[in-house]
Amino acid sequence: MENGSPILIVTNELFTRKMLKEALINGGNKVVTVSNGQEALAILKENLCSTVITDTIMPEMGGLELCRKIRKLQCRNPIYVII
């Protein structure tokens, strides 16, 4: 049974993306994965996900910077971030 909006996984580490995705799907969640913060912001601007799981250290934009940018987005619903 799938729950609500997809969970967004953001990490440049392929193995981590695959493992998290599999675990969350097995738990009945919809999942979207991306490899960087810019891709994540594009998805979040479309209000497609309400929960983000992100890595702390990534090229170009780390998890903390991504979190700051998410907080500045004008979204209809809150976006929850797990770093």
Side-chain angles (χ1 to χ4, degrees):
M1 184 164 127
E2 290 188 346
N3 302 317
S5 68
I7 296 171
L8 178 60
I9 298 170
V10 187
T11 179
N12 61 313
E13 296 179 20
L14 181 59
F15 179 76
T16 303
R17 277 198 314 269
K18 286 182 177 183
M19 294 301 292
L20 280 172
K21 181 178 181 178
E22 183 178 323
L24 291 167
I25 287 174
N26 287 340
N29 298 283
K30 294 183 257 181
V31 177
V32 175
T33 64
V34 295
S35 62
N36 64 62
Q38 294 301 330
E39 292 174 344
L41 287 174
I43 288 171
L44 294 169
K45 286 178 182 176
E46 298 297 320
N47 294 304
L48 299 178
C49 298
S50 61
T51 304
V52 176
I53 299 174
T54 183
D55 198 352
T56 351
I57 301 171
M58 295 180 289
E60 298 176 29
M61 181 188 311
L64 295 176
E65 183 180 353
L66 174 61
C67 187
R68 284 191 283 276
K69 290 187 178 200
I70 289 171
R71 296 294 172 230
K72 291 180 182 179
L73 293 176
Q74 300 293 323
C75 296
R76 289 176 268 164
N77 298 311
I79 298 173
Y80 303 98
V81 180
I82 300 169
I83 299 178

